Every structure is written in structure tokens, then in C-alpha cells.
Amino acid sequence: MHDKKLITLIEEKNEECISLMAEKYEKLLYHIAYGILGGRAEDIEECINDTYLKFWNNIDKYDLEKASVKTYLKVILRNTAINRLRDIGRKEENMSYEDLTDIAATYADESQNVENELINREKVTLLNKIIGEMPKKDKEISIRRFFYLQSSKEIARAMMMTVSAVDCRVSRIKSKIKIKFEENGYE
């Protein structure tokens, strides 16, 4: 389908055009959103849907002589995904210390005896405290790496860094965490 026909369908408020856009651009938009948001499937889907809606609602502002529908959709999605990532970051920053402890505590192995479970909870609490005191960029890298289990490549792409820079920071973060754990009597 040509861009002019798609624009005409949107101007006519023909909802079929949403399906046609999804058919034509969904994979590309998903790939871009994944690069920004990582494995957050629900956020990716919402960003893609928001992109279609923004394009639909603001069709009168688009000039096909300046750029193609594909280009407009990519720009809208990129901005939408970046804004979503910022919102997620703000929510995570505003999480209380207790919330982080509760989240991390769910990973404790329940099959261990009570003493080991208490030690693990103390370690989780300490880890959350250490991460909470980190500079913003290190905190985001730590959360992406250790909580969301993202690869260095995914983190680098999302944070606009090189893979080696991410690896270097992760190495320094691990060293700092190890030192803090040793200072608190844990191995």
C-alpha cells in the first residue's frame, strides 16, 4: 500500500488503515521499541499502539513531501519509547527502599533453612541499599543487568553507550558491591 492511500484512509477515519499500518510497519516498529525498552513486551506493545494513535490523531500535521509514513512512524515511536523509558526510570527511582527489598526477597530460595534465609534477606537488603546509593547511570545499569537480566549489548543500545563501556561499568559495579559485602562480613 502506498503512503498516499494510507493517508487518505486515515483522513476518511477508516479504521482499516490501522490494520494496514500494523501489517506493513509492525516488525520495524517492534525492533526499534525493543532496542530502547529491552524485553518489556507490554511497554513495547503500548508504545507501538500509541504511535499509531498519535499518527492517526495528528494526520493533518504530516507532509508526505517532507518524509514518508515510515519515517514519521519511526520518529513518533522513538520519542514515545524514550518517554516511556524515562517514566519507568522515574517510577523505579521513586520505589521505596522497602519495595526494592520485597522485590529482591522474592528471589530467595525458599527451600533453605531459616538461618540461611535470614542471611539471604540481609544480603538482599544490603544489595538494595548499595544500588540505591549509586549514581543514576550506575543504578540504571545495575537494575537492567541484575534485575532485568539484560545483556551488555541491550543495555548499551538502550542507554546509548558502547558495549565495552557497559562491560567496564558492570565490572566496576561488581567490584564495589563485593567490597561492600566484605565490609559487612559477607563473602
Side-chain angles (χ1 to χ4, degrees):
M1 163 167 290
H2 296 286
D3 287 351
K4 287 183 182 183
K5 180 161 172 116
L6 190 60
I7 297 297
T8 303
L9 288 172
I10 295 173
E11 288 171 342
E12 293 171 355
K13 300 300 181 192
N14 185 335
E15 293 179 11
E16 179 187 347
C17 67
I18 300 293
S19 299
L20 296 172
M21 275 194 296
E23 196 175 291
K24 188 170 183 179
Y25 299 111
E26 187 93 17
K27 286 181 182 176
L28 172 66
L29 297 178
Y30 181 88
H31 179 73
I32 294 168
Y34 185 87
I36 296 169
L37 295 168
R40 295 181 165 98
E42 187 175 304
D43 290 316
I44 291 170
E45 186 178 328
E46 284 185 37
C47 283
I48 292 171
N49 291 336
D50 288 349
T51 299
Y52 295 145
L53 184 63
K54 288 175 184 177
F55 189 70
W56 171 282
N57 288 336
N58 297 293
I59 195 65
D60 55 320
K61 296 179 184 175
Y62 298 105
D63 182 357
L64 285 178
E65 292 182 18
K66 289 184 180 177
S68 66
V69 169
K70 178 180 178 179
T71 301
Y72 279 121
L73 290 173
K74 289 185 337 186
V75 170
I76 294 168
L77 178 79
R78 180 185 158 275
N79 292 336
T80 302
I82 289 171
N83 288 337
R84 177 64 54 94
L85 190 61
R86 285 185 187 130
D87 290 343
I88 291 167
R90 279 188 215 112
K91 286 178 188 172
E92 287 172 353
E93 277 181 14
N94 292 333
M95 262 186 166
S96 70
Y97 176 73
E98 291 80 23
D99 291 340
L100 286 173
T101 302
D102 290 343
I103 290 170
T106 61
Y107 292 100
D109 183 1
E110 295 177 2
S111 66
Q112 296 176 347
N113 67 34
V114 176
E115 183 180 349
N116 285 340
E117 189 173 330
L118 288 173
I119 291 170
N120 282 337
R121 284 182 188 228
E122 288 174 3
K123 287 180 179 179
V124 167
T125 301
L126 178 60
L127 180 61
N128 285 322
K129 183 178 181 226
I130 294 167
I131 291 173
E133 293 172 351
M134 288 181 182
K136 188 176 180 179
K137 200 166 194 170
D138 287 350
K139 185 186 298 185
E140 183 176 349
I141 289 171
S142 297
I143 290 170
R144 287 177 174 276
R145 180 59 156 230
F146 304 121
F147 284 89
Y148 295 128
L149 305 175
Q150 290 183 346
S151 68
S152 296
K153 189 175 180 180
E154 290 171 321
I155 296 169
R157 199 173 332 132
M159 295 183 68
M160 294 180 263
M161 298 172 66
T162 64
V163 174
S164 60
V166 171
D167 287 338
C168 184
R169 281 209 183 216
V170 167
S171 177
R172 278 188 261 152
I173 289 167
K174 284 181 177 179
S175 294
K176 287 178 185 178
I177 290 171
K178 183 178 180 192
I179 289 168
K180 293 278 189 184
F181 266 70
E182 288 171 354
E183 287 172 0
N184 285 280
Y186 299 110
E187 292 183 23

